[in-house]
Amino acid sequence: MLVKGAALCTMLIALSGCASYVAKEITKAHASSITGNLSDIGAETITICDDNNYCIDVVGLKNVDVTETALKFDIKINDNHKIWRYSASLNSENQEKPLEDHLILLFAGYSQPTQILLIHQLWLHQMTGANVIVIPSAEKSGRFQFGLDYISPIVEKIKQTRPEKVHAIGFSMGALAAHALEREIDNIRLYLFAPMTDFEYSTKAIYEMHYNNAFYRALVSEETLKEAIELIYKRSGTTSVDTALPIKLQTVNSPTFIYASRADKVVDFTTLNEVKNEHLALNIYENLNHIEMMALMSRTILADFVSDLLEYSVAIDDVGTIGLLCDFEDKDCLEQTKD
């Protein structure tokens, strides 16, 4: 996400403007990852506002009684290529809608592909009966504030609709907003996937992973990156205290489930081990990177998450609930995904 600033920094390498440009590149809105017509998949853009007429656009279900059509998603991340399919018809006994009158909020992670969340949105609605809304990633805001500025319109929406229970699902940076919502409303449960524990750590980790060579380091040094991070905090009106999720989790009062991976280089999962709170349950997985965690590319993760969501144990082979997740070359498994 920093490479776009390379050309300008080449010309201004001796000037302080490079850090400012990098900060702007990190926090600006990227091209929309939603393609095609939302109405074709039963979703639509909805504007929600708070009492002060501050509004945000979210993605809701056009018709909460959307037809239970088969869902299929083909995803490839590096060498990990999987196909996921969900259809209630895979288990004819799975007719119960256990979360009707509940609200599920999906808080997108930084620059997270929205297509993934739209698929999850429809799956969660079909499987639970809940109303499901997708909250945009933080950089979509008119003023980048780590997604914390989204809370007041969401709170007003909850007051208007009065769901029986709220389930806030936060991916990466989206975990900050999910947690902030927990402080504003009652009867909420949190589910945090690969939660961003430290903004500076994550930004530097991405830099190391993608731009770890002498050429880029000559253009964007670690000092420049540090200055850019400081500028982001200043421009957003926040501080590192506002994004220190592990500290905030110490006082959470609602059931909170965290899903993290040892192989995730973007998140320092070790800081989550230090959180002491009886309301918190921490699940640690192996061999999944940050993007794979956010895409739920594991049957174990899917089963653990749905078990926490529904409050009863769900097996990894319960295809009527979590669907089928197949390796692309697993022919036997793929045969089951055919209509």
Side-chain angles (χ1 to χ4, degrees):
M1 61 183 173
L2 305 177
V3 68
K4 296 178 182 178
L8 183 60
C9 286
T10 300
M11 298 187 306
L12 302 178
I13 196 68
L15 303 177
S16 62
C18 189
S20 180
Y21 185 84
V22 171
K24 183 178 179 180
E25 285 295 298
I26 292 174
T27 59
K28 78 175 185 180
H30 301 276
S32 174
S33 55
I34 301 178
T35 59
N37 188 347
L38 282 178
S39 63
D40 292 341
I41 56 174
E44 65 176 348
T45 299
I46 300 172
T47 300
I48 60 175
C49 305
D50 64 13
D51 287 337
N52 296 317
N53 205 32
Y54 174 68
C55 305
I56 63 172
D57 287 337
V58 300
V59 178
L61 294 170
K62 186 174 183 180
N63 181 353
V64 293
D65 294 322
V66 64
T67 303
E68 294 188 354
T69 56
L71 303 174
K72 192 171 183 179
F73 192 66
D74 185 328
I75 184 167
K76 184 177 182 181
I77 300 174
N78 298 324
D79 295 327
N80 192 355
H81 190 180
K82 293 185 182 294
I83 293 177
W84 174 84
R85 180 199 175 194
Y86 173 80
S87 174
S89 64
L90 291 172
N91 184 349
S92 59
E93 297 179 359
N94 187 39
Q95 301 297 326
E96 183 184 359
K97 301 299 182 183
L99 301 184
E100 283 189 304
D101 298 324
H102 289 214
L103 173 65
I104 296 177
L105 299 167
L106 298 174
F107 290 86
Y110 175 86
S111 197
Q112 185 175 14
T114 311
Q115 295 97 323
I116 294 176
L117 292 186
L118 295 181
I119 291 291
H120 291 161
Q121 178 186 34
L122 290 173
W123 163 56
L124 287 169
H125 170 67
Q126 290 187 16
M127 186 259 291
T128 69
N131 186 19
V132 187
I133 294 176
V134 176
I135 311 300
S137 53
E139 75 276 9
K140 299 290 195 254
S141 175
R143 180 190 179 194
F144 181 86
Q145 293 181 287
F146 299 93
L148 300 176
D149 54 314
Y150 294 157
I151 301 307
S152 58
I154 295 172
V155 169
E156 184 60 28
K157 176 70 174 178
I158 292 170
K159 288 180 180 178
Q160 293 172 0
T161 56
R162 297 183 178 181
E164 181 180 330
K165 186 176 291 186
V166 176
H167 305 267
I169 303 171
F171 298 90
S172 191
M173 188 181 288
L176 290 174
H179 169 268
L181 182 64
E182 187 270 343
R183 301 184 65 180
E184 299 294 330
I185 66 171
D186 298 323
N187 206 15
I188 186 173
R189 293 165 67 89
L190 301 183
Y191 313 82
L192 311 180
F193 290 89
M196 187 187 76
T197 56
D198 183 294
F199 177 60
E200 181 173 352
Y201 179 97
S202 295
T203 304
K204 289 181 176 180
I206 293 172
Y207 174 67
E208 290 288 340
M209 289 164 55
H210 296 287
Y211 311 108
N212 189 18
N213 60 60
F215 174 73
Y216 286 116
R217 287 186 180 280
L219 299 177
V220 183
S221 66
E222 278 197 37
E223 184 60 31
T224 298
L225 188 60
K226 184 175 181 180
E227 291 175 8
I229 292 170
E230 292 173 352
L231 278 173
I232 290 171
Y233 277 123
K234 182 178 180 180
R235 292 172 179 175
S236 66
T238 62
T239 69
S240 59
V241 174
D242 297 307
T243 61
L245 186 62
I247 294 176
K248 293 178 177 299
L249 290 174
Q250 299 278 8
T251 56
V252 74
N253 292 315
S254 305
T256 300
F257 307 91
I258 297 180
Y259 315 87
S261 171
R262 298 182 191 279
D264 185 348
K265 296 181 179 179
V266 177
V267 171
D268 182 9
F269 79 92
T270 61
T271 61
L272 296 169
N273 281 319
E274 300 170 3
V275 179
K276 306 301 180 184
N277 188 322
E278 63 179 359
H279 300 292
L280 188 148
L282 177 60
N283 300 278
I284 299 294
Y285 305 92
E286 308 288 342
N287 305 321
L288 290 174
N289 64 33
H290 192 65
I291 299 176
E292 291 167 341
M293 284 294 300
M294 292 198 296
L296 308 184
M297 290 181 68
S298 161
R299 284 188 293 176
T300 302
I301 292 176
L302 284 168
D304 288 346
F305 163 57
V306 174
S307 295
D308 296 333
L309 182 70
L310 301 181
E311 299 186 58
Y312 61 79
S313 181
V314 175
I316 62 173
D317 59 355
D318 185 349
V319 296
T321 305
I322 69 172
L324 279 165
L325 184 66
C326 304
D327 289 326
F328 184 71
E329 297 181 350
D330 188 340
K331 304 301 181 184
D332 291 337
C333 183
L334 290 173
E335 279 296 318
Q336 301 176 70
T337 69
K338 295 180 179 180
D339 293 322

